Amino acid sequence: MADDSDEEQVGEEQVKEEPVPEKPKKIFINHIDTYHGKNIARIFARAKPGSTSEPSEEEEAEEENSEKKQKQLYDENPIEDGWKVVGTVKNTQGYKRAPFIQEVIHYKDRNQLIDYLKEVNVIIYDITQDPEQVDEAVWACQKIESMINELDHQVTFILLSSVMTWAKTQSNEEDVPFSEDEFRRRRAHPNYKERHSAEKMITKLGLTNKKKLLTYIVATGLTYGMEEDVFHYIFKAAWHNVPEVPVYGKGHNYLPTIHVMDLAAVLQNLADRQLKIRYIVATDTSKDTLIRLTRKISQALGTGRVKAVDQEDAMLNRDITQADFDMLMANMQFEPMFIREQMNIKWHCENGMTENMEKIIEEYRNQRNLIPIKILILGPPASGKTTIAKQLAQEYKLHYLAIKDVIRDTKDELEQLVKRSNESEQNEEEIDEEDVDETLADRVDEARSVLERLDEARQNNKDARLDDDLLTQIFKIKLMSPPCQNQGYVLDGYPKTADQATNLFGVSAEEEEEGAEDKKPPVNDRIIPEHVIILEASNEFLRQRIMHLPEKIVADTHNTELEFKRRLKAYIDLGDDSHPAKFFEDVDRPGETIKIDDDLSPNHRNIVKKIMERVKQPRNYGPTAEEQEIAKRNEILEKEKREREEREERERNEEEAANDRAKKQKEWTTKLEQIKRQEFEMLDAQSTPLRNYLMTHVMPTVTKALIECCQVRPEDPIDFVAEYLFKNNPQV
């Protein structure tokens, strides 16, 4: 018995020593398909609960590895021991659950929602982007507060609000920023008063049971970064190369901002730690005005120019909502000391947008899939390079670049740049030193130098042929221009030699990065083509094409017989070593050779489709609203035309069928009458001998018998007629 009791005691001790697996922490985020929701959810799914309390050595090492950190920025795969994210979606139709979302909550009434909220550790309700969520957030917090004693865990409720609840707050001193300590005297924008009331209610609910229910209010600045939100219209206009990006109003109002990843870091600190302060303002350290932000975005992504327009015109822009307009017209400055002093934040853009513009532009392009498509078409003369290049440019909305066009357009752009520079020098008092483009002076000097060399080349060379160095410089300027850097290009037939390709796309020794150990020749990744297409055809095929070209097309071009022979000979003489394809092979970016001899499709359409299969889908915003309207109108017209043609075809077929039936009916009637007539004639011909026989031998005697019968009127007329015929038979 003693042994048994000892064994039981040992067994109990072993059971006690086994560690109980910790339950994974869950977090609820409303509207995980919106700008804030999905970016915040991704950060939480890739973070360990409690990781902001004390950073580990591994995290500090990762902090130093900026390249690895940049890759993780777009990683959507959750870590194994990270937060388990659940949430609701705003637009259920067509939504596909992201990898970092553990579960999407669908509910018919709020009572079903509360069953999910009871199971989570942290609740984040974002009321910045959807006013309808204000009432739901307050209701959810009230429900959790009413049943908090029934729960076996602590709940942290975070209300993500906006600094717009401060928009009408009067500053004690001009240009002195607000601090969190002044939150009790904040005055909300008229359109944000309901959010202001929600902030007060959530704060009050957090006072009833501080040990079980923690409530925080986070007033976030205008968020930016990743695919962009409120500032998206500025990025979109600059990316589309509008001559001047609009600034609504004077633009001198200060906008409190924060990167959406830094906002997620603030929320992560609140989820990990118990902080005494309950109201937090989340902004970066920048003090930027609307016009400065717009100008910096335009300089980094577009033409660099802005234009002040009336505030009322903002609502004519389809990309700006009423909520966006309210935030863009706000004028506030904050000094959020708490998040910088009391929180462990690995800042992504602590100094704001203007100091991190290159990083933000890269995020915008990656998240919106606006990576430029760069195509180079090479091949012998008369191989259809121009025809194919123009079709590709149209299909992908790229900029078509031919030598003459590039020289002409670049010259005009450089002249405009020098002209604007001269005008700016005459109005120096109007220029804000902080907003001056740092690269402008260098670009103006380069423009003047190129224009001088162009004038000199025209004076010295009547044929207007430029030397390779000047032509390469012009092409570099064009390829580095915002249109080519934003949308991309289709380069038609240049460079013509390997040396030209090296000078254009290669990197000089001065530009090469230090410590580069790659044996491949360095290249300029910003301008080198992504797809190199080399057209190939037999000499006889090319000659036949030239011979069959109409005279009006050949006139005043390089496609005359003599000129074609000269160009073809020059192309053949290049050989493999001097052909531009050699450069791309050396840099491990070989081109794709396509034979065109057997292509009989109009305008080489089959070749274009083959190239499109390689390039794949366009990387742009797609058709504009005007283009969509035109396409819709064309589709309607095409549908009406198709229906009209089908109706006319149907009516024509019915008419032909009716005519055919009438014709056949007439033929049948005629044939039937003919048959009847022939039958009658045949019967008549066959009955004549019989009639004659009867009339000669039978009818006279029968007639007499009938007459006699009528006169006598016997009792049995039949017997009488028979007897009469027997007695008076002429044959007897």
Side-chain angles (χ1 to χ4, degrees):
M1 293 292 293
D3 294 340
D4 292 341
S5 61
D6 290 342
E7 289 178 1
E8 290 177 3
Q9 186 174 358
V10 171
E12 290 176 1
E13 290 177 357
Q14 289 176 349
V15 171
K16 291 179 181 179
E17 289 176 359
E18 290 181 0
V20 178
E22 186 177 352
K23 190 177 180 181
K25 288 196 172 183
K26 296 177 69 174
I27 181 170
F28 168 87
I29 302 174
N30 70 316
H31 289 182
I32 51 178
D33 57 332
T34 60
Y35 173 70
H36 281 164
K38 62 184 176 184
N39 285 298
I40 293 171
R42 185 174 66 249
I43 293 300
F44 269 92
R46 293 192 52 77
K48 297 178 182 179
S51 59
T52 61
S53 301
E54 293 183 4
S56 64
E57 295 181 0
E58 294 180 0
E59 291 174 343
E60 291 177 354
E62 289 182 4
E63 180 82 8
E64 297 175 358
N65 191 341
S66 59
E67 184 177 352
K68 184 177 180 181
K69 185 180 178 183
Q70 193 67 16
K71 289 181 180 179
Q72 291 178 346
L73 185 66
Y74 310 111
D75 195 345
E76 295 191 347
N77 296 311
I79 60 175
E80 186 176 352
D81 51 352
W83 287 91
K84 307 306 176 187
V85 182
V86 301
T88 58
V89 293
K90 183 177 182 180
N91 300 311
T92 57
Q93 187 174 4
Y95 175 75
K96 184 178 180 181
R97 184 175 63 85
F100 51 83
I101 302 298
Q102 186 184 51
E103 183 181 2
V104 177
I105 298 174
H106 300 283
Y107 61 95
K108 294 181 179 179
D109 58 68
R110 288 179 175 177
N111 291 326
Q112 291 179 328
L113 175 62
I114 206 67
D115 292 335
Y116 286 96
L117 297 182
K118 290 190 299 184
E119 302 298 323
V120 301
N121 304 94
V122 179
I123 300 172
I124 297 179
Y125 253 99
D126 177 17
I127 61 173
T128 62
Q129 299 184 315
D130 187 357
E132 295 180 0
Q133 289 292 287
V134 176
D135 179 61
E136 182 176 293
V138 173
W139 172 86
C141 192
Q142 289 174 335
K143 279 288 186 181
I144 292 296
E145 189 272 337
S146 65
M147 61 179 63
I148 192 66
N149 292 324
E150 302 173 11
L151 305 181
D152 59 355
H153 60 276
Q154 186 185 64
V155 176
T156 300
F157 192 100
I158 304 173
L159 184 72
L160 182 57
S161 187
S162 170
V163 292
M164 292 300 293
T165 57
W166 294 67
K168 295 300 180 181
T169 308
Q170 296 295 324
S171 178
N172 294 327
E173 298 181 31
E174 189 176 355
D175 293 336
V176 175
F178 297 118
S179 65
E180 293 101 333
D181 298 337
E182 302 176 87
F183 75 94
R184 288 185 177 84
R185 68 181 193 89
R186 67 191 185 281
R187 295 293 180 269
H189 185 280
N191 293 339
Y192 285 78
K193 288 184 177 180
E194 190 177 358
R195 293 175 174 86
H196 187 199
S197 300
E199 292 178 0
K200 291 182 177 180
M201 179 61 71
I202 300 299
T203 303
K204 183 178 179 181
L205 291 171
L207 300 176
T208 57
N209 191 339
K210 296 181 181 180
K211 292 184 178 180
K212 296 290 292 286
L213 177 63
L214 299 176
T215 61
Y216 297 101
I217 311 298
V218 177
T220 177
L222 280 64
T223 46
Y224 61 88
M226 306 309 284
E227 65 267 35
E228 296 302 330
D229 184 42
V230 65
F231 297 110
H232 176 235
Y233 82 96
I234 305 177
F235 285 83
K236 186 176 181 180
W239 188 86
H240 277 113
N241 313 303
V242 297
E244 296 173 318
V245 179
V247 178
Y248 299 107
K250 295 182 180 179
H252 299 308
N253 52 311
Y254 289 93
L255 297 179
T257 59
I258 187 170
H259 194 286
V260 68
M261 296 294 101
D262 293 327
L263 173 61
V266 171
L267 299 176
Q268 192 182 347
N269 272 264
L270 295 177
D272 287 342
R273 304 159 66 187
Q274 295 185 19
L275 303 173
K276 292 183 179 180
I277 190 169
R278 293 292 184 264
Y279 193 97
I280 297 98
V281 175
T283 65
D284 51 37
T285 61
S286 65
K287 301 291 185 292
D288 292 325
T289 59
L290 175 60
I291 192 169
R292 185 171 187 231
L293 290 173
T294 306
R295 183 174 285 113
K296 288 295 184 181
I297 295 170
S298 181
Q299 290 171 357
L301 198 59
T303 62
R305 301 192 299 278
V306 299
K307 179 182 180 181
V309 296
D310 294 337
Q311 293 184 10
E312 292 75 12
D313 293 341
M315 300 315 296
L316 300 177
N317 190 329
R318 298 181 180 181
D319 295 319
I320 299 179
T321 64
Q322 181 63 50
D324 294 337
F325 177 76
D326 293 339
M327 289 187 282
L328 292 168
M329 295 300 106
N331 185 16
M332 293 175 282
Q333 297 184 63
F334 287 90
E335 196 68 38
M337 301 300 296
F338 180 79
I339 63 174
R340 293 205 300 274
E341 295 178 354
Q342 303 297 325
M343 287 189 176
N344 177 26
I345 297 178
K346 302 172 185 176
W347 284 95
H348 187 66
C349 293
E350 184 175 6
N351 299 324
M353 293 179 67
T354 57
E355 299 296 325
N356 298 276
M357 190 57 67
E358 185 177 346
K359 181 193 301 183
I360 295 168
I361 294 293
E362 183 182 356
E363 294 172 6
Y364 163 72
R365 283 178 168 153
N366 283 323
Q367 292 298 101
R368 293 272 177 182
N369 194 29
L370 299 176
I371 310 301
I373 296 176
K374 295 169 284 188
I375 304 173
L376 169 61
I377 307 294
L378 299 173
S383 58
K385 297 188 296 296
T386 300
T387 301
I388 293 172
K390 287 184 176 179
Q391 291 183 73
L392 290 172
Q394 184 177 6
E395 291 285 350
Y396 287 99
K397 293 187 175 182
L398 307 178
H399 301 279
Y400 170 73
L401 304 181
I403 296 177
K404 285 186 177 180
D405 298 336
V406 169
I407 295 173
R408 182 188 66 248
D409 295 345
T410 304
K411 180 176 178 294
D412 293 342
E413 292 167 3
L414 295 180
E415 288 174 346
Q416 289 295 322
L417 179 61
V418 172
K419 181 181 177 181
R420 288 195 301 270
S421 176
N422 294 335
E423 292 174 353
S424 299
E425 290 175 359
Q426 297 173 2
N427 301 285
E428 289 185 358
E429 68 279 2
E430 299 179 5
I431 301 176
D432 189 345
E433 292 183 0
E434 293 183 349
D435 296 341
V436 173
D437 188 350
E438 298 175 356
T439 65
L440 180 60
D442 294 336
R443 289 192 289 116
V444 171
D445 291 341
E446 184 182 27
R448 287 173 176 155
S449 173
V450 171
L451 291 173
E452 289 175 2
R453 293 180 65 187
L454 279 172
D455 291 338
E456 183 180 348
R458 284 194 176 85
Q459 293 174 4
N460 298 335
N461 193 339
K462 294 182 180 180
D463 294 335
R465 292 188 181 277
L466 305 180
D467 61 76
D468 283 355
D469 290 341
L470 180 55
L471 193 57
T472 297
Q473 189 176 8
I474 291 173
F475 264 93
K476 278 186 176 181
I477 293 173
K478 185 64 178 177
L479 296 180
M480 287 297 293
S481 65
C484 292
Q485 289 294 300
N486 290 341
Q487 289 82 33
Y489 62 80
V490 181
L491 196 51
D492 179 8
Y494 187 87
K496 298 180 181 296
T497 67
D499 289 340
Q500 289 178 344
T502 302
N503 294 333
L504 179 58
F505 302 118
V507 176
S508 62
E510 294 79 8
E511 297 173 326
E512 187 175 354
E513 295 182 5
E514 295 182 3
E517 299 179 356
D518 198 340
K519 295 181 180 180
K520 294 182 295 185
V523 296
N524 188 340
D525 289 321
R526 295 187 64 183
I527 64 174
I528 192 168
E530 180 183 1
H531 305 281
V532 179
I533 308 300
I534 306 167
L535 304 179
E536 193 174 89
S538 64
N539 296 343
E540 183 60 27
F541 176 83
L542 298 174
R543 289 192 185 94
Q544 289 297 321
R545 289 198 64 182
I546 290 294
M547 294 295 291
H548 288 85
L549 285 176
E551 185 64 29
K552 60 180 181 180
I553 296 178
V554 174
D556 300 326
T557 68
H558 292 299
N559 291 326
T560 61
E561 186 175 356
L562 292 176
E563 186 65 18
F564 167 72
K565 289 180 179 179
R566 181 192 66 79
R567 294 168 60 208
L568 182 59
K569 183 178 183 304
Y571 184 83
I572 295 172
D573 291 343
L574 285 175
D576 294 337
D577 293 337
S578 297
H579 195 281
K582 179 68 166 57
F583 165 78
F584 294 102
E585 291 176 1
D586 292 342
V587 298
D588 199 18
R589 299 186 184 212
E592 179 181 356
T593 302
I594 300 178
K595 287 186 174 292
I596 64 170
D597 301 67
D598 300 328
D599 180 39
L600 301 177
S601 60
N603 295 324
H604 292 304
R605 193 60 196 168
N606 290 340
I607 301 294
V608 173
K609 290 180 179 179
K610 186 174 182 180
I611 297 173
M612 291 178 65
E613 289 176 1
R614 173 175 176 172
V615 178
K616 297 180 181 178
Q617 293 296 322
R619 299 197 290 256
N620 52 39
Y621 276 99
T624 62
E626 292 78 11
E627 290 171 338
Q628 289 178 350
E629 188 67 27
I630 293 172
K632 186 177 180 181
R633 189 161 55 248
N634 291 339
E635 185 179 350
I636 293 173
L637 293 174
E638 186 66 27
K639 183 179 179 181
E640 291 176 351
K641 180 182 177 182
R642 188 168 59 252
E643 290 176 348
R644 184 173 61 255
E645 290 176 349
E646 290 176 354
R647 185 172 61 253
E648 291 174 354
E649 179 70 18
R650 187 167 58 252
E651 292 174 354
R652 187 164 55 252
N653 292 337
E654 290 175 355
E655 184 179 356
E656 290 176 357
N659 293 336
D660 188 53
R661 284 195 303 272
K663 182 179 178 181
K664 290 181 178 179
Q665 180 72 25
K666 185 177 180 181
E667 291 176 354
W668 182 82
T669 304
T670 304
K671 193 172 183 179
L672 181 62
E673 290 176 353
Q674 184 180 3
I675 292 171
K676 285 182 178 180
R677 186 172 61 253
Q678 290 174 352
E679 184 180 7
F680 176 79
E681 291 174 353
M682 183 185 66
L683 292 175
D684 184 62
Q686 292 176 350
S687 64
T688 298
L690 182 61
R691 265 200 320 273
N692 292 336
Y693 173 80
L694 292 174
M695 292 298 292
T696 302
H697 301 288
V698 177
M699 291 307 297
T701 305
V702 172
T703 302
K704 290 178 181 180
L706 293 174
I707 293 171
E708 185 69 21
C709 182
C710 291
Q711 291 175 352
V712 176
R713 296 182 181 180
E715 292 181 3
D716 189 354
I718 299 301
D719 186 61
F720 177 83
V721 171
E723 186 177 353
Y724 181 87
L725 291 174
F726 181 76
K727 290 179 180 181
N728 296 284
N729 183 359
Q731 301 295 331
V732 178

